[in-house]
Amino acid sequence: MTDERVSADGGMETSFGFREVGTGEKQPLVNDVFHKVAQRYDIMNDVMSAGLHRVWKDAMIAALNPPRREDYRVLDVAGGTGDIAFRIVEASDRRAHATVLDINGSMLAVGAERARRKGLLGNLEFVEANAEDLPFAANSFDAYTIAFGIRNVPRIEVALEEAYRVLKRGGRLLVLEFSEVEMPLLDRVYDAWSFNAIPKFGKLITGDDAPYQYLVESIRKFPNQRDFATMIRTAGFGRVSFTNYTGGIAALHSGWKI
């Protein structure tokens, strides 16, 4: 594990990339990052993953395997632009209902407009709220998904507890997140790409490299696969597992409310 990475004991709540901030200061800083990149969020993910995020997201939906039922309800957190929710609805033959929750109104505006163009508004709800304080009753959802968003939540352990609370008994948690590369040589190539190329591409695309610098650093601070799996178990989930994608550049974590 790299020196920068935090453990299952926490530390992300005062970490804005490699910079330490005071309690309560991280969320406004993260909000500002995503206000800046909202209109180019998909391009940002293409840059950060060399386009592989699309393959990983498809694999996430295949793992979820949403049933073709109109009463199937999914909560997609930090999913403002709708990327995961759209895939879930389409995989269910447009029968499932997805609630897209994001703390950032700019991201939600992008997602709602995309949903309108795709004709999916009947299957979707967009809610502006905090992952640490979900505005839903307990036992409300069949699944909770979050892709590349959990590391931006200040109190990850609280968000996981909230995920457990709102899931129905037998419900599933799926978390897709950048993780620790476990393949020799690939880790060095990925580090070089991340710290040297991504901020430069970000500046070319958006005129500002600061959001990309934060996002790269936040990946290196996030707990590795085993530590994050421990956090999921601590929140109450059972049958916890993870699957590495592309040598551990990303990992899909799974847990069940048993």
Side-chain angles (χ1 to χ4, degrees):
M1 187 168 68
T2 63
D3 292 339
E4 296 91 356
R5 206 174 287 277
V6 305
S7 71
D9 296 328
M12 291 295 285
E13 63 274 12
T14 56
S15 164
F16 182 69
F18 291 160
R19 178 177 139 207
E20 285 297 305
V21 297
T23 301
E25 293 181 4
K26 178 175 179 176
Q27 191 65 68
L29 292 169
V30 171
N31 289 350
D32 185 58
V33 166
F34 285 94
H35 281 306
K36 290 177 179 177
V37 303
Q39 295 297 327
R40 294 182 172 87
Y41 183 69
D42 289 336
I43 297 174
M44 179 194 74
N45 279 333
D46 282 328
V47 169
M48 294 189 70
S49 70
L52 287 169
H53 75 101
R54 301 173 188 274
V55 177
W56 301 333
K57 288 172 179 175
D58 287 344
M60 181 185 194
I61 304 309
L64 179 63
N65 191 23
R68 294 166 175 80
R69 294 193 342 247
E70 293 181 359
D71 63 345
Y72 185 74
R73 297 189 64 209
V74 181
L75 175 62
D76 183 46
V77 175
T81 62
D83 231 19
I84 296 300
F86 298 161
R87 284 172 164 84
I88 291 170
V89 169
E90 294 290 9
S92 74
D93 285 345
R94 299 197 173 199
R95 294 180 184 173
H97 183 276
T99 298
V100 181
L101 182 139
D102 205 297
I103 199 170
N104 191 288
S106 298
M107 298 285 282
L108 288 166
V110 172
E113 174 58 23
R114 291 181 66 198
R116 185 192 64 78
R117 293 199 305 265
K118 290 175 178 287
L120 292 175
L121 285 175
N123 298 82
L124 297 166
E125 179 183 11
F126 291 85
V127 177
E128 186 172 348
N130 193 323
E132 297 176 8
D133 186 19
L134 298 175
F136 308 111
N139 309 307
S140 294
F141 295 96
D142 298 288
Y144 175 117
T145 58
I146 180 168
F148 306 118
I150 194 74
R151 74 182 189 281
N152 298 309
V153 176
R155 296 183 298 165
I156 293 171
E157 70 283 359
V158 175
L160 291 172
E161 290 167 2
E162 278 288 270
Y164 187 87
R165 181 184 68 81
V166 301
L167 278 171
K168 299 176 183 177
R169 190 68 59 182
R172 191 177 188 185
L173 168 78
L174 280 178
V175 182
L176 179 62
E177 188 53 84
F178 289 109
S179 200
E180 184 173 60
V181 179
E182 298 185 336
M183 187 177 293
L185 298 180
L186 178 60
D187 56 347
R188 296 183 183 180
V189 172
Y190 184 57
D191 273 348
W193 167 256
S194 296
F195 288 100
N196 297 321
I198 288 177
K200 292 178 182 177
F201 276 111
K203 189 165 187 176
L204 286 172
I205 294 166
T206 67
D208 187 0
D209 61 352
Y212 291 81
Q213 188 68 40
Y214 157 72
L215 291 164
V216 167
E217 292 176 1
S218 69
I219 292 169
R220 293 306 181 279
K221 292 292 291 187
F222 188 72
N224 70 12
Q225 291 90 321
R226 288 154 193 83
D227 281 341
F228 186 55
T230 296
M231 295 179 74
I232 294 173
R233 291 189 192 94
T234 301
F237 289 94
R239 293 171 57 193
V240 175
S241 63
F242 67 85
T243 302
N244 279 336
Y245 296 150
T246 318
I249 291 177
L252 179 65
H253 287 263
S254 173
W256 298 81
K257 184 173 179 177
I258 298 174

